[in-house]
Amino acid sequence: DWIYIPIPVDEYTMQHRGFNQVEGLIGDLPYSRVLKMKKIRRDKKQSEKSRSERLKTQQPFEYIGDKLQGNYVIIDDVYTTGRTLYYAQELLLKNGASRVCSVTLAR
């Protein structure tokens, strides 16, 4: 069995959009919210950053769940550099996940 992990959105996005688009993509699949965006001063939107700026981004997530067991699928809406998925995978593996895969809607 696989457990789905949506990439979280930051507070600014949640306040302005009102929903997490990745959770909307998941639909009725069971998922777990074990990742949370760190409070980071936002100078630019991700979409406004160059590739090199995105690659320099520090770990944007914190882990907020219990010890993990089993296999996980990270789900994100857009894959640009892979940095977001890398950071999410790093935290899941560090917290006990056996295996981590990812799915994105667009590249």
Side-chain angles (χ1 to χ4, degrees):
D1 286 352
W2 292 85
I3 300 168
Y4 301 93
I5 308 290
I7 291 296
V9 296
D10 60 22
E11 287 181 24
Y12 176 86
T13 302
M14 189 56 87
Q15 287 174 350
H16 287 83
R17 187 181 295 143
F19 65 96
N20 179 335
Q21 71 279 10
V22 177
E23 290 180 9
L25 290 171
I26 291 174
D28 293 333
L29 289 174
Y31 62 89
S32 181
R33 289 182 180 145
V34 295
L35 298 177
K36 179 181 175 186
M37 292 293 289
K38 290 180 181 175
K39 292 186 181 190
I40 299 172
R41 198 186 102 226
R42 185 179 202 174
D43 52 345
K44 286 184 186 179
K45 292 180 180 179
Q46 278 293 101
S47 60
E48 296 170 349
K49 292 181 181 179
S50 68
R51 177 175 173 75
S52 63
E53 288 173 314
R54 287 176 185 228
L55 289 172
K56 292 177 188 174
T57 301
Q58 300 298 307
Q59 172 62 271
F61 306 118
E62 58 185 290
Y63 183 78
I64 58 170
D66 295 325
K67 187 77 171 161
L68 298 174
Q69 290 181 289
N71 301 315
Y72 295 83
V73 179
I74 303 166
I75 301 180
D76 201 1
D77 56 348
V78 178
Y79 179 104
T80 305
T81 62
R83 206 73 183 138
T84 300
L85 297 172
Y86 169 81
Y87 282 136
Q89 177 190 37
E90 177 182 62
L91 283 179
L92 296 177
L93 290 171
K94 184 178 177 180
N95 286 283
S98 301
R99 188 169 169 203
V100 178
C101 296
S102 64
V103 174
T104 55
L105 178 64
R107 178 171 163 101

